[in-house]
Amino acid sequence: MALATNQMMSLFVLGVILAVGLGSAASARACPQYCLDVDYVTCPFSGNEELPSRCNCCMAPKGCTLHLSDGSSIHCP
């Protein structure tokens, strides 16, 4: 009887570990694997300072703006 209880406890613990692991993986953000033609980046914390370019919003801090070489810009949520 003790062996069956230990096995059930082990399965329960394994289930909890898997559930927690899968939950965190589901909330992870996927980064696109492409680069835009970004000249520079500005962020609320940088004021008017032009920061080094980043490939896309996934690689830039939240709330920043990517300034593209064609004159357009993309705000990163």
Side-chain angles (χ1 to χ4, degrees), residues 4-66:
T5 303
N6 284 342
Q7 287 176 337
M8 292 201 42
M9 183 57 92
S10 295
L11 285 174
F12 174 75
V13 170
L14 179 62
V16 169
I17 291 170
L18 287 174
V20 169
L22 291 175
S24 62
S27 64
R29 186 170 85 162
C31 274
Q33 298 298 312
Y34 65 87
C35 276
L36 300 169
D37 193 10
V38 179
D39 278 342
Y40 63 94
V41 176
T42 55
C43 299
F45 62 82
S46 71
N48 292 331
E49 181 182 356
E50 295 180 3
L51 302 174
S53 65
R54 305 285 185 195
C55 279
N56 55 49
C57 282
C58 193
M59 297 179 180
K62 288 185 178 188
C64 294
T65 301
L66 305 179

